[in-house]
Amino acid sequence: MPSVPTTITDELGIALGNLADAATGTITPTLRLGVTGLSRAGKTIFITALIHNLLTGARLPGFAPMAEGRLIGVRLAEHPDNATPRFAYENHLAALLGTPPVWPESTRRISQLRLTLRYQSNSWLKSQLGVSTLNLDIVDYPGEWLLDLPLLTKSFAEWSAEALALARRPARADEAKPFLDALSSIDPLGEADDVTAETLAVAFTQYLRASKGDARALSTLPPGRFLMPGDLEGSPALTFAPLPEPASTPRHQSLYAMLERRYEAYKSVVVRPFFRDHFARLDRQIVLVDALRALNAGPEAVADLETALTSVLSCFRQGTSNPISRLFTRKIDRILFAATKADLLHHTSHPRLEAILNRLVANASRRAKFAGAETRSLAMAAIRATREGTVKDNGETLATIIGTPENGQRLGDTVYDGTTEIALFPGDLPENPESLFKSVESTPQLNFLRFLPPTDLPMGETGDPVFPYIRLDRALDFLIGDKMQ
Ligand code: GDP
């Protein structure tokens, strides 16, 4: 039986939480901005760059309050929530400014940070009251956790059937084999025992992780915490795995019944509290998408990214199909989809990258509207690791990007050592994004490498280093600009 998706206590909890937000908001209005995306989409870099740009008063011409000279100052505020870890801004920045600079550690769990922005309103009435203030709470969380929403309406048997069907798909054969082998050697109706449960859970988790590697880049795989456990690393809440439905009713002491109980506990102790305590309180959301990594891996990865995004985005839709939509209808009123790492392409290709992003999220938007939320999409690089150039090839001028690939990055037979700067023509994105979802033959040859973070940063007027970016200012303007009028 699918469990009842929401409870009176959930609703009460959210109502009280929102009341508390509103109560503190009477002193200073607070905007809660969710930053999500699948792992390595660019969340950590986006948040770090955003905070650094705001704190150091860097040039953000696309951000209206700054362009209009109304932004007075931004500071880090006291951490507002004892139950949620603080986003490790200082450590991430130190990594990016180190000698040599390195990319910081990526998002592995939920964290948040509050900025207080002081500005002059452009409304005559509001400006008579003096300087206005806005608290911006930035909440960073793994997109994988959103994949868990559908589990709330799925029984263990239903989820198992789907997960096993996926694991048996030819595209996943290599990664899934050890898990399927382990599964074939156990009897689900046999006596429950922790060691078997653990062995299966480990094999299942390894299969999920292997599917996500760069070569496969497959992403549609709940339960989200198996991939991104956060603080639950090693917890018994994660020791379950899908099992084939037994022919007869399982006894209470059977392995099947035990894993079923753990699956239900995962839903009530892990999944539901996340949606209730964090997700339901967001006002705005940016969804970061690393489309280029999927393009590198081929049509299967692109199609899989689309399925994963459809699943992730179902959380933002209103409708009866969404099991907890009642809880957060009309709260999130703006969603920005951003294709990250646009600096891996020449700017002339950015419109095509945006077209691909739109195609990736189209399915999700077509099936249901985003609860009246305004949506927009753009191609962005929170920190540019490359600059642009051109090369002549057989009389043809090719638009290139110039940067230093990370140690071990490979292009054909060449393996880079992390010290050589190169000019790369990454290939042409197709005019029609549809071809990327079809056969390998219709996919153009594309080469997106990982580059080292930028060195020799210029200094801004405040004496702070300035990170080059692409459209970060425009993203910020869409996400918070209207709240600073
Ligand atoms: P997340 O926190 O898991 O979503 O991802 P991160 O923010 O840690 O980014 C993952 C990796 O993507 C980084 O380590 C960088 O290698 C790369 N990356 C992120 N943002 C950018 C960007 O704007 N430009 C480039 N070239 N690489 C980026």
Side-chain angles (χ1 to χ4, degrees):
M1 254 286 285
S3 66
V4 179
T6 55
T7 63
I8 302 278
T9 13
D10 280 345
E11 293 190 39
L12 196 64
I14 291 167
L16 289 176
N18 285 340
L19 266 181
D21 290 349
T24 47
T26 51
I27 307 161
T28 300
T30 299
L31 189 75
R32 289 175 67 78
L33 169 64
V35 179
T36 200
L38 298 169
S39 74
R40 300 195 65 81
K43 300 177 287 297
T44 308
I45 302 302
F46 170 76
I47 299 173
T48 307
L50 187 70
I51 298 173
H52 181 73
N53 278 298
L54 284 172
L55 288 181
T56 59
R59 280 192 67 249
L60 297 166
F63 177 45
M66 185 174 271
E68 293 161 8
R70 298 187 290 106
L71 185 67
I72 297 168
V74 182
R75 64 176 177 83
L76 286 171
E78 188 183 325
H79 191 53
D81 180 353
N82 290 333
T84 312
R86 186 173 175 278
F87 180 79
Y89 166 67
E90 293 77 6
N91 295 352
H92 296 329
L93 184 65
L96 287 163
L97 296 178
T99 330
V102 289
W103 296 110
E105 206 175 289
S106 298
T107 301
R108 304 198 51 80
R109 57 176 186 177
I110 188 163
S111 68
Q112 81 175 63
L113 184 141
R114 172 171 288 181
L115 292 176
T116 302
L117 295 93
R118 295 175 68 240
Y119 65 99
Q120 195 69 50
S121 169
N122 56 7
S123 116
W124 179 82
L125 192 64
K126 223 168 137 190
S127 62
Q128 296 309 300
L129 301 171
V131 172
S132 302
T133 312
L134 175 72
N135 283 334
L136 177 64
D137 285 359
I138 303 175
V139 184
D140 175 27
Y141 65 94
E144 282 78 1
W145 293 6
L146 297 179
L147 297 174
D148 281 344
L149 183 72
L151 299 187
L152 289 178
T153 49
K154 272 181 204 152
S155 67
F156 180 61
E158 288 167 329
W159 169 69
S160 289
E162 281 177 21
L164 292 176
L166 257 181
R168 292 191 175 113
R169 289 243 294 254
R172 295 181 187 266
D174 292 346
E175 290 80 10
K177 189 170 182 312
F179 166 64
L180 294 174
D181 286 350
L183 196 61
S184 64
S185 67
I186 61 116
D187 173 12
L189 291 176
E191 199 70 21
D193 91 276
D194 275 315
V195 176
T196 311
E198 175 112 26
T199 311
L200 281 180
V202 167
F204 185 61
T205 309
Q206 278 168 355
Y207 145 62
L208 297 184
R209 295 231 165 101
S211 308
K212 276 191 72 100
D214 268 352
R216 311 286 305 149
L218 299 174
S219 28
T220 344
L221 302 159
R225 303 283 167 134
F226 280 52
L227 295 163
M228 278 286 149
D231 298 333
L232 291 175
E233 187 106 50
S235 150
L238 305 187
T239 38
F240 66 92
L243 289 178
E245 198 161 9
S248 59
T249 313
R251 290 172 306 122
H252 187 76
Q253 296 82 356
S254 64
L255 183 70
Y256 189 92
M258 178 170 98
L259 296 201
E260 183 171 31
R261 285 192 293 278
R262 291 195 175 166
Y263 170 80
E264 290 302 332
Y266 175 78
K267 284 164 43 177
S268 58
V269 180
V270 178
V271 181
R272 185 172 295 144
F274 164 70
F275 280 96
R276 184 189 59 209
D277 301 338
H278 299 290
F279 187 77
R281 301 211 169 107
L282 299 174
D283 301 299
R284 299 271 160 103
Q285 178 69 54
I286 178 166
V287 181
L288 303 176
V289 182
D290 183 356
L292 302 180
R293 180 165 175 259
L295 296 184
N296 244 4
E300 176 92 23
V302 175
D304 188 78
L305 176 63
E306 185 202 12
T307 316
L309 283 172
T310 306
S311 188
V312 160
L313 299 179
S314 69
C315 298
F316 300 108
R317 299 191 317 231
Q318 188 177 27
T320 45
S321 61
N322 183 331
I324 62 166
S325 57
R326 273 189 305 147
L327 300 182
F328 43 80
T329 47
R330 283 177 290 281
K331 184 96 169 99
I332 294 180
D333 61 353
R334 280 193 179 192
I335 306 171
L336 179 65
F337 302 113
T340 52
K341 311 179 194 179
D343 59 318
L344 301 185
L345 286 166
H346 194 267
H347 73 272
T348 45
S349 295
H350 291 174
R352 289 189 180 183
L353 178 58
E354 284 175 7
I356 292 167
L357 175 67
N358 283 329
R359 169 62 181 82
L360 280 168
V361 298
N363 223 351
S365 350
R366 206 170 27 240
R367 282 218 233 133
K369 286 277 168 237
F370 286 108
E374 199 181 330
T375 61
R376 191 165 300 169
S377 43
L378 53 76
M380 176 187 84
I383 296 185
R384 284 184 86 140
T386 68
R387 52 188 204 282
E388 298 188 338
T390 48
V391 290
K392 290 249 186 262
D393 183 43
N394 283 334
E396 201 189 343
T397 305
L398 297 177
T400 60
I401 51 160
I402 302 165
T404 309
E406 285 182 11
N407 187 10
Q409 287 291 286
R410 182 186 287 272
L411 188 65
D413 293 335
T414 314
V415 180
Y416 296 102
D417 62 359
T419 61
T420 319
E421 188 173 80
I422 61 163
L424 174 71
F425 171 64
D428 278 324
L429 293 180
E431 206 176 328
N432 178 4
E434 216 51 54
S435 64
L436 296 167
F437 293 76
K438 294 193 177 125
S439 62
V440 179
E441 296 76 55
S442 65
T443 312
Q445 176 62 41
L446 298 166
N447 299 300
F448 301 113
L449 300 181
R450 289 194 196 170
F451 285 87
L452 291 172
T455 49
D456 305 322
L457 298 171
M459 291 294 161
E461 281 164 21
T462 51
D464 293 287
V466 177
F467 291 112
Y469 62 79
I470 299 169
R471 293 187 200 93
L472 183 67
D473 51 347
R474 301 241 308 263
L476 182 64
D477 194 59
F478 177 73
L479 292 167
I480 69 168
D482 63 317
K483 294 287 177 186
M484 297 175 69
Q485 286 180 346

